[in-house]
Amino acid sequence: MITIEVKNLVKNYGKIEAVKGISFNVNEGEIFGLIGPNGAGKTTVLRIISTLLKINSGSIKIMNYDIEKDSDKIRKIISYLPEDAGAYKNLTGKSYLQFIANFFDNKQNQQMVQRGIEIADLDVRIDDRVDTYSKGMMRRLLVGRALMINPKLAILDEPTSGLDVINAQEIRKLIKNTAQTGTTVLLSSHNMLEVEYLCERIALISEGKIVEEGKPKTLMDKYKANNIEEVFIRVVQQ
Amino acid sequence: MSGLGNIIKKEIKELLTPTTFVPIIIIALIFGTMGSSIQGIQEQALEKPVIGIINADNGTLATITSSILYNNSKPVFNSTSIDDKQIGIETVKQKNGVALIIIPNNFTKQIRNETSGDIEVYWIMKGAGLLDTISSGVLQHLIDYINTNISKELIQENSSVNASFVLTPTKNVETTFFKDREFKGLTPDLIVGMLSSQSFLIPIVIMMIIIMAGSIVITSMALEKENKTLETLLTLPVKRTSIVTGKIIAAATIGLLLAIIYMVGMSYYFQGMQISEGGISLAKYGLALNSQDYLLIGISLFITLIAGLSLCMLLGTFAKNYKSAQTLTFPITMLALIPMFLTMFADYDTLPTALKGVVFAIPFSHPMMAPRALIFDDYLLVLGGIIYVAIFALVMIIIVVWVFNTDRLLTGSTKRRKLKSRNNNFNFIRRR
C-alpha cells in the first residue's frame, strides 16, 4: 500500500520556485530519504507533507487523504520532527511528552508517554526542566515525542542533526525499529552514510527537482560510485 | 572598517526594520492629531467665556458687576427680566456658552444691608474631563474678581463697614446643567472632582490589563518561534482556532488576575488620595452605577480584552523572537495610553470630530469611557462601543486564524532567505 503519493508538486515563495513539479511515492513501512544540499527544497517538501505549508499546484495523498482537503485527518496519523525543533523550556521532559500526548487518544495517552520516555531514554533527567537539557538530550526527547504516538507516517527532518556519533547511532536504530513495526518514515539528511544505512529508497533533490530516485545500492551501481555522495555529484554534473 | 564601526553597522542594520519603524510612525501620526486637537481645546478655553447675563437690579453694585462681566466675557444673551431665565439658559446652550449669570433685583440692597448678595450662576457643563472645566474656571475667576471689586467699592464708600462681611459681599447660588440633568448646588469643578476616581482608576486599570495580557500573548508567539515549538504545534491534531483562542483565553485569564491584584492596590491608593467633596453623595445626584451598568462595563471590558489580545496575536505572528516581541508591544502600549489620557483630560462628547473618530476606533477606549457614559445614561455610546469592539475582535480572530492557515506564520519574509539558500546550493556543488 502507498502511504505517500506526491504528484507534480509545485511550491513557490513569491516569485521563487522552491519545488518544481516533483513526484514520488513512499510505500507503507518503508524508510524513504530525500537527499540534497541546503536550499534544494527538502525541508519545503517535508513541511508541505506535514501540512505546514500550502501547495501551489500538484497533489499529495497521505494514506489516501488529500493534503488540501483532509489536513485535520492527516495530522492525526503523522508525526513531524523539524530539523531544529525545540520543546517548551518551562516544562519537564515528562510533562512535555504528556502535553503532546493529550492531543491524541485519551485512553492511550499514558501508554504514549511511557513509550516516549523509553525512546528518549533520559533516565531520571526526564523529570528535569527542558531548559537544562543538552542538545543531544533535547533531540532524544523530540525523537521520543515524534515516535511515541505510533504514527502511520513519521516525517523526520535531519533526525540526527547535531548529535554525537553514539547518540546518532542510537537514534538511527530507533528509526529502523520503528519502521519494522509498520510506521512509514520519510526523512531528509545531509549524512550520506546515514542514508545508506537507513533508507530503503532515496530521491536526490536539487534546485527543487528530483534528479534521481531508487535504492541506494542500485544507484551506486548505476553511477559506478562508491557511495551516495558520489552518486549525487555525478547526477548533478550531468 | 574598525571593530566599533563594524558592530554599529550590524546593529543598525538589525534594528532598521519595518517592524521597528511602522508602529512608531503610526503612533507619531496619532499623537500629531491629538496634539493639534488638544491645542484647539486649550486655545478655545483661553478666549473670553461666552455667557448670558440677566441683570434685574439697577443699583450701583449690580452695575459694577454687570460691567465687569460685559468687559471680560462674550455675552450672547442680555436681559433685565428674571422671567427670561429659561430663554437665557437655552440661548447660552445653543451658543456653546459657559453659564447664564443672574443678578437678582435685590442684589445691591442686600449688600447695602450687609447681607450677601446672591449671584445666580447656571453652568452649562459640556464634559467631565479636566480640560472641559477650563472655561468654567475662567468664569469662576471672573466672579471672584467681581467679589473683590464690590469689596473695594464698599470700603471706599464706608471704611467702617463690617470687615468679615466686606471680604465676601457676594454669594454664588449655583446650578449645573450637564447631559440633560440639573445639579442644584453643584459646580462643574465639584462634579469633575466627584467623578475623578472613576476618571483615573478605571482607565489606569484597563490600560494595565491590556499591556500585561497583550505582552503575554505577543511574547508567547515570539517564544513559540524562537524555541522552534510552533512547527510541531501546527502539525498536531488541534484546530488552528483552538490554538488561537487557547492562547487568548489563557492570556486574558492571567491579565484579569493581574488586574484584580493591581486594582486592589490602586483602589487603596486612590482612597488615600481622594479629596473629600464635603460629604456629597454621588447617588444623591444620580451619579452612581447600578448593577446593570456594572454588567455592561464587565461585558465591555471582556470583549475589549479579547479584541486587544486578538490584535496582539496578530502582531505576535510578526514577531521573530523575544527581542522583536518587545518592540511589538509598543503600539499596544500606546493604543492603551492614548484613550487613558484622553478620558482623563477630556470628555468624549467635547472632543473634536477627528479625535472622536480616533478614540472610537481604538477598542481600548470603550471600557474606559463606559462608566462615565453609563452614569449619564449614554447607553448608545456604550452599546455601540460593545458592538464595534465585538466586530473588531471577530475580524481580528478571523485574520489571525487566516494567518495561522497560511505559510506566512512560518516563512515570514521568504524572498531574501530563499535567494540565500539558492546561493548555498551553488556553493554545495562548487565545493565538489
Side-chain angles (χ1 to χ4, degrees):
Chain A
M1 187 186 170
I2 293 171
T3 301
I4 308 172
E5 187 183 1
V6 178
K7 278 186 186 169
N8 302 317
L9 173 65
V10 174
K11 175 65 186 173
N12 301 329
Y13 295 111
K15 289 178 183 173
I16 298 162
E17 251 188 318
V19 180
K20 301 170 182 171
I22 67 170
S23 303
F24 63 91
N25 292 337
V26 182
N27 300 317
E28 191 176 358
E30 188 178 26
I31 303 180
F32 188 89
L34 277 178
I35 320 300
N38 292 335
K42 304 185 302 290
T43 298
T44 298
V45 173
L46 296 189
R47 281 176 156 194
I48 290 169
I49 293 171
S50 306
T51 73
L52 284 170
L53 300 180
K54 304 284 177 199
I55 62 175
N56 287 93
S57 67
S59 70
I60 297 177
K61 284 190 176 172
I62 313 284
M63 307 281 286
N64 284 328
Y65 290 126
D66 186 275
I67 199 108
E68 288 186 288
K69 294 175 193 160
D70 307 315
S71 52
D72 287 341
K73 287 174 185 162
I74 289 172
R75 285 182 199 124
K76 288 180 184 168
I77 56 167
I78 64 162
S79 190
Y80 175 51
L81 176 66
E83 181 184 355
D84 48 3
Y88 298 103
K89 290 181 178 173
N90 57 335
L91 298 180
T92 64
K94 189 177 177 182
S95 40
Y96 174 68
L97 295 176
Q98 184 67 61
F99 168 73
I100 299 294
N102 288 344
F103 289 109
F104 295 87
D105 186 2
N106 279 339
K107 289 172 192 165
Q108 290 180 11
N109 63 17
Q110 283 317 310
Q111 282 171 285
M112 280 182 192
V113 173
Q114 203 48 49
R115 186 171 143 79
I117 291 170
E118 282 164 21
I119 296 170
D121 194 21
L122 293 171
D123 203 15
V124 290
R125 295 297 308 274
I126 196 75
D127 291 316
D128 288 347
R129 275 166 61 116
V130 167
D131 57 2
T132 64
Y133 286 5
S134 67
K135 192 170 182 180
M137 290 165 76
M138 174 72 90
R139 200 65 182 163
R140 292 176 73 101
L141 177 73
L142 293 170
V143 171
R145 186 275 298 164
L147 301 180
M148 72 178 184
I149 61 165
N150 276 326
K152 298 280 182 201
L153 170 63
I155 303 154
L156 312 174
D157 196 354
E158 304 282 355
T160 57
S161 164
L163 293 181
D164 58 54
V165 178
I166 295 167
N167 274 309
Q169 185 66 21
E170 283 180 25
I171 292 204
R172 281 182 207 125
K173 280 180 191 166
L174 265 171
I175 294 168
K176 209 144 197 177
N177 292 341
T178 303
Q180 279 164 5
T181 62
T183 295
T184 306
V185 178
L186 172 65
L187 62 84
S188 80
S189 182
H190 283 99
N191 187 330
M192 302 297 169
L193 286 172
E194 177 172 287
V195 169
E196 281 178 46
Y197 170 75
L198 277 177
C199 301
E200 287 150 59
R201 282 192 308 130
I202 58 170
L204 304 181
I205 184 165
S206 175
E207 295 186 21
K209 289 178 189 165
I210 289 182
V211 287
E212 190 57 273
E213 188 186 336
K215 293 183 177 178
K217 181 79 175 65
T218 314
L219 291 177
M220 283 190 280
D221 291 344
K222 183 178 172 185
Y223 289 93
K224 296 185 176 59
N226 294 319
N227 53 48
I228 296 298
E229 195 170 281
E230 283 181 20
V231 171
F232 187 83
I233 292 166
R234 283 173 197 172
V235 169
V236 169
Q237 285 174 342
Q238 268 182 1
Chain B
M1 189 180 282
S2 71
L4 177 66
N6 204 17
I7 293 285
I8 292 171
K9 191 181 163 191
K10 173 250 168 195
E11 288 295 322
I12 288 176
K13 204 173 168 187
E14 208 167 80
L15 296 168
L16 207 65
T17 60
T19 323
T20 313
F21 279 87
V22 170
I24 307 282
I25 292 166
I26 293 168
I27 297 303
L29 288 171
I30 292 173
F31 267 115
T33 315
M34 277 172 60
S36 56
S37 302
I38 288 169
Q39 199 179 9
I41 294 168
Q42 285 170 332
E43 280 167 7
Q44 202 180 353
L46 288 172
E47 288 176 3
K48 288 180 177 178
V50 174
I51 62 168
I53 304 169
I54 297 176
N55 184 3
D57 184 16
N58 50 14
T60 50
L61 299 178
T63 308
I64 291 170
T65 304
S66 60
S67 64
I68 290 171
L69 288 172
Y70 278 115
N71 292 334
N72 297 286
S73 67
K74 282 186 191 168
V76 291
F77 179 79
N78 185 21
S79 171
T80 53
S81 171
I82 297 286
D83 297 339
D84 292 340
K85 185 178 97 177
Q86 206 51 45
I87 303 166
I89 290 168
E90 290 307 318
T91 308
V92 174
K93 271 186 189 174
Q94 280 169 15
K95 303 277 183 185
N96 209 18
V98 182
L100 172 73
I101 294 178
I102 298 177
I103 306 165
N105 57 7
N106 56 353
F107 180 73
T108 306
K109 194 179 167 186
Q110 273 190 311
I111 295 174
R112 297 279 183 219
N113 292 336
E114 296 197 357
T115 309
S116 295
D118 291 344
I119 297 177
E120 293 176 26
V121 187
Y122 294 90
W123 296 100
I124 311 298
M125 190 175 163
K126 296 175 199 84
L130 294 178
L131 286 176
D132 296 317
T133 56
I134 290 174
S135 44
S136 60
V138 174
L139 183 59
Q140 188 70 56
H141 183 72
L142 198 56
I143 294 168
D144 293 343
Y145 183 64
I146 290 167
N147 191 67
T148 310
N149 273 271
I150 290 174
S151 297
K152 276 184 195 170
E153 179 67 19
L154 291 173
I155 292 164
Q156 277 171 0
E157 283 175 6
N158 178 11
S159 58
S160 62
V161 68
N162 181 338
S164 60
F165 165 73
V166 82
L167 289 173
T168 50
T170 64
K171 187 180 83 185
N172 298 345
V173 180
E174 292 167 303
T175 300
T176 300
F177 294 96
F178 183 42
K179 303 210 183 212
D180 299 326
R181 288 201 205 172
E182 187 178 337
F183 300 97
K184 283 190 176 163
L186 293 185
T187 63
D189 286 350
L190 210 52
I191 293 173
V192 168
M194 289 158 73
L195 296 172
S196 67
S197 61
Q198 282 160 343
S199 302
F200 284 87
L201 180 63
I202 293 172
I204 288 174
V205 169
I206 291 167
M207 187 260 311
M208 291 306 295
I209 303 174
I210 300 292
I211 292 174
M212 286 188 283
S215 167
I216 290 169
V217 164
I218 295 178
T219 308
S220 154
M221 280 303 298
L223 288 177
E224 289 272 11
K225 287 188 182 181
E226 190 170 293
N227 296 335
K228 311 282 181 191
T229 49
L230 188 62
E231 282 186 56
T232 304
L233 188 62
L234 294 174
T235 58
L236 293 170
V238 54
K239 287 186 184 302
R240 303 306 200 235
T241 42
S242 300
I243 297 173
V244 173
T245 48
K247 282 184 179 290
I248 289 173
I249 290 169
T253 309
I254 299 297
L256 284 172
L257 197 68
L258 294 173
I260 291 166
I261 298 166
Y262 193 79
M263 199 156 19
V264 170
M266 283 297 285
S267 60
Y268 277 108
Y269 172 76
F270 274 97
Q271 272 173 22
M273 292 282 286
Q274 209 164 16
I275 298 160
S276 168
E277 299 298 345
I280 293 168
S281 159
L282 290 167
K284 182 185 163 191
Y285 290 95
L287 297 178
L289 297 165
N290 57 34
S291 52
Q292 181 191 310
D293 296 337
Y294 280 113
L295 180 68
L296 283 173
I297 292 170
I299 293 170
S300 177
L301 179 59
F302 178 74
I303 291 175
T304 302
L305 197 54
I306 299 295
L309 294 178
S310 312
L311 178 62
C312 290
M313 276 292 277
L314 186 61
L315 289 171
T317 62
F318 293 96
K320 292 170 198 154
N321 47 39
Y322 186 77
K323 189 179 163 190
S324 64
Q326 300 308 302
T327 314
L328 288 163
T329 55
F330 181 72
I332 294 297
T333 308
M334 283 295 120
L335 285 177
L337 283 175
I338 291 167
M340 185 192 83
F341 283 120
L342 282 173
T343 47
M344 278 180 183
F345 292 109
D347 205 280
Y348 180 74
D349 289 343
T350 60
L351 291 173
T353 313
L355 207 52
K356 264 188 189 175
V358 171
V359 171
F360 195 91
I362 298 173
F364 311 143
S365 309
H366 295 279
M368 296 183 187
M369 297 191 296
R372 196 185 291 166
L374 288 168
I375 282 175
F376 293 101
D377 298 334
D378 191 354
Y379 287 95
L380 188 66
L381 179 66
V382 178
L383 293 173
I386 288 173
I387 292 166
Y388 164 73
V389 178
I391 293 168
F392 184 94
L394 191 66
V395 170
M396 280 298 134
I397 290 172
I398 290 169
I399 294 173
V400 174
V401 172
W402 174 77
V403 172
F404 265 71
N405 277 311
T406 64
D407 298 353
R408 206 222 158 277
L409 193 62
L410 294 174
T411 55
S413 169
T414 56
K415 205 172 175 181
R416 197 177 296 171
R417 188 171 61 78
K418 291 308 289 183
L419 281 170
K420 208 181 273 179
S421 299
R422 178 162 290 193
N423 290 337
N424 284 342
N425 198 352
F426 287 127
N427 292 338
F428 178 88
I429 305 297
R430 212 177 290 135
R431 276 201 301 273
R432 284 157 172 81

